[in-house]
Amino acid sequence: MATQKTLGESLREHGVTRRGFLKFCAATASMMALPPTMTSAIAAALDKARRPSVIWLSFQECTGCTESLTRSHSPTVENLILDIISLDYHHTLQAASGDAAEEARLAAMKENWGSYLVVVDGSLPGPGSNMGYSTIAGHSNLDILKETVEGAAAVVAVGTCAAFGGLPRAYPNPTGAVAVQDIITNKPIINVSGCPPIPTVITGVLAQYLTFGTLPEMDDYKRPLAFFGQSIHDRCYRRPFYDKGLFAETFDDEGAKAGWCLYRLGCKGPSTYNACATMRWNAGTSWPVESGHPCLGCSEPDFWDAGGFYQALSVPTANATHTLAVAGVAGAVVGGVAAAVAKKQQRHAVADREPVTIEQLEQRL
Amino acid sequence: MSGPESISLAVEVPKVAQEWGNSLPILHEVRHALERLATTGVPGIIDLGAIPFGPGDEARLLARLGRGEVEAVIHALGETRIWESAVPAVWLIDHYNAEGERIALHIEIDRIPSLLLTQPEDLAEATARLDGILDGEGGAGASA
Ligand code: SF4
Ligand code: SF4
């Protein structure tokens, strides 16, 4: 199947010239934040790379991450899906539905056991939560995730929801949402956070994995350092104003018009690690701080609950109760669901996955 | 019901374009690369996509570098526009994809941008390609 050919072979078959390939590699180096002198090394590696099978699972999310990916300009999503990766299952993008879709996932798993990538967007109701909050084909997100990840080489958690719980986990976390890394502990995980992540960062991480065949170097939050290695603040073009103490105080004062630093308007750039300041959005057009809005810190854990978006970083927040409140909600879970979940700890076979029942769906926390 | 067009908007454009001071360091980097090329023959390349430019910085940098005598366009997976700046050996390499979106912008400091050179892999196939063309001539020219 798709995994048999190298990328170089498939590109040549499609009539891509050597210059075209080198250009593609130059753009890939740029995307991976690698020095342009790496282009020939990337070309050599990509030429030999085989296309891994990719299974994309979508849980509690707004589809913004997929939306972001399909707006990716480099390489185009068509290139990525057709030429580089073999996307065997994607809820939102695939044409198949119902049983055919689920069978495609199981078939891809079987054929590529041990070597496929699982990409997840969205958080999922964790153990002890009402599984009815998010299901696929009648099965809980938790079961689908565990089953799919079992034969995976690595898991890529795309977006702040999958990486850290995101909006679904915001106080008071009504669905008991957890991140992928809270559930999966026995497989390598790459967190590509952002709400949504920058499209070129999503494709860049996949390209990086393909190029080097190994996991990228990561920070303490399991984010690839090539993209999350520097803070927004360190790469912000307004930084000279911060250093001089020149701050906009309102969105329309003279300082704002002169392009001064947005720190006092709540900019979380100093504590946020992401690539917006250099990669920008919409094919490099602009990014939030360039259009006059402070960074919200969307690639950081719990950014939804980190105080007001428009409060300066040093202003203390009144959110100390967050952890306690979540623990309280999780503790109130109805026994029946917990028992059903416990039973499903058994290993993968489809027959073992018990569909969520109507009663469970109707349960309220 | 009144539509959005009924909302009066005023777009304020600053009279003087803001100078963020980010193009000057690039020019210094280019200068170092030029010196290295002249003394050691080692070329250099700068990825402008990775520079934290403010609005207008890129345009200012390109304007300062100016345009020289040579221009080229490569048609491969979209266009790549290449031109020598007014400073000899300082080239701008502007890559676009098939949808016409920019995918990278580089400054290359070299006697000729590497992408313009015929690639060794293509050179290996060149004779075979020409033989194919000659065969297509029906052999008349070849036997003469
Ligand atoms: S606008 Fe934000 S990221 Fe930029 S310098 Fe100011 S505080 Fe830092
Ligand atoms: S500027 Fe900040 S909040 Fe905005 S997208 Fe980038 S990291 Fe997220």
Side-chain angles (χ1 to χ4, degrees), chain A residues 232-233 236 238-239 242 261-263 267-270 287 289:
Chain A
I232 296 284
H233 187 59
C236 179
R238 293 187 192 235
R239 180 65 185 267
Y242 175 94
C261 169
L262 303 171
Y263 181 82
C267 186
K268 307 293 185 286
W287 63 291
V289 166

Side-chain angles (χ1 to χ4, degrees), chain A:
Chain A
M1 65 178 274
T3 45
Q4 296 314 305
K5 265 184 210 140
T6 67
L7 177 65
E9 284 162 356
S10 12
L11 287 177
R12 275 191 288 282
E13 264 175 29
H14 284 88
V16 172
T17 64
R18 191 68 196 173
R19 277 201 190 91
F21 183 58
L22 284 178
K23 169 176 164 175
F24 171 86
C25 294
T28 305
S30 180
M31 187 173 62
M32 292 195 285
L34 289 170
T37 42
M38 286 286 289
T39 299
S40 47
I42 292 172
L46 276 185
D47 202 31
K48 289 193 216 80
R50 288 183 195 280
R51 302 187 290 163
S53 173
V54 172
I55 297 176
W56 186 303
L57 302 174
S58 296
F59 297 144
Q60 298 191 120
E61 39 82 35
C62 65
T63 312
C65 298
T66 294
E67 191 70 25
S68 184
L69 174 71
T70 56
R71 298 294 175 272
S72 159
H73 64 284
S74 171
T76 64
V77 74
E78 290 84 358
N79 273 343
L80 187 80
I81 292 173
L82 301 175
D83 294 336
I84 305 181
I85 63 172
S86 162
L87 196 53
D88 289 317
Y89 178 89
H90 189 303
H91 290 142
T92 317
L93 299 178
Q94 68 194 357
S97 61
D99 288 345
E102 292 310 302
E103 275 159 25
R105 176 173 62 88
L106 295 171
M109 284 170 58
K110 204 167 146 215
E111 282 176 55
N112 303 287
W113 192 260
S115 68
Y116 60 87
L117 276 183
V118 174
V119 180
V120 181
D121 61 341
S123 61
L124 57 156
S129 306
N130 181 338
M131 290 300 128
Y133 278 126
S134 186
T135 60
I136 295 156
H139 296 281
S140 74
N141 289 170
L142 191 68
D143 283 352
I144 298 259
L145 177 68
K146 282 187 186 162
E147 178 184 82
T148 312
V149 157
E150 202 159 331
V155 187
V156 185
V158 164
T160 299
C161 295
F164 307 128
L167 174 62
R169 202 170 94 169
Y171 176 81
N173 190 2
T175 65
V178 295
V180 171
Q181 60 184 353
D182 296 330
I183 302 297
I184 305 300
T185 48
N186 60 347
K187 293 280 174 185
I189 292 185
I190 308 171
N191 283 328
V192 186
S193 62
C195 188
I198 300 176
T200 35
V201 171
I202 306 178
T203 53
V205 168
L206 295 174
Q208 195 178 24
Y209 180 76
L210 276 183
T211 306
F212 300 110
T214 50
L215 293 185
E217 217 188 319
M218 295 190 275
D219 70 4
D220 290 347
Y221 290 130
K222 299 192 169 79
R223 296 179 298 194
L225 282 173
F227 304 99
F228 297 91
Q230 281 171 313
S231 71
I232 296 284
H233 187 59
D234 282 343
R235 304 303 297 267
C236 179
Y237 70 95
R238 293 187 192 235
R239 180 65 185 267
F241 292 115
Y242 175 94
D243 292 340
K244 284 187 210 131
L246 295 172
F247 300 103
E249 302 289 342
T250 65
F251 281 103
D252 58 353
D253 66 7
E254 288 310 309
K257 283 178 191 160
W260 290 356
C261 169
L262 303 171
Y263 181 82
R264 293 208 180 136
L265 290 171
C267 186
K268 307 293 185 286
S271 58
T272 302
Y273 289 77
N274 205 347
C276 311
T278 48
M279 288 198 154
R280 305 178 188 91
W281 287 84
N282 294 324
T285 305
S286 182
W287 63 291
V289 166
E290 186 169 333
S291 48
H293 196 280
C295 167
L296 304 179
C298 77
S299 53
E300 297 303 309
D302 297 326
F303 83 99
W304 290 98
D305 294 328
F309 287 160
Y310 301 103
Q311 276 170 10
L313 270 174
S314 52
V315 175
T317 62
N319 196 40
T321 50
H322 174 76
T323 323
L324 271 180
V326 172
V329 170
V333 164
V334 187
V337 181
V341 171
K343 222 190 295 172
K344 280 179 261 161
Q345 300 300 341
Q346 300 146 3
R347 303 192 62 200
H348 58 97
V350 188
D352 288 353
R353 265 199 284 116
E354 291 180 16
V356 174
T357 63
I358 298 293
E359 292 71 47
Q360 286 165 351
L361 283 171
E362 285 173 347
Q363 276 169 8
R364 297 273 186 276
L365 288 178

Side-chain angles (χ1 to χ4, degrees), chain B residues 130-142:
Chain B
L130 186 60
D131 284 347
I133 294 171
L134 285 170
D135 283 349
E137 297 294 318

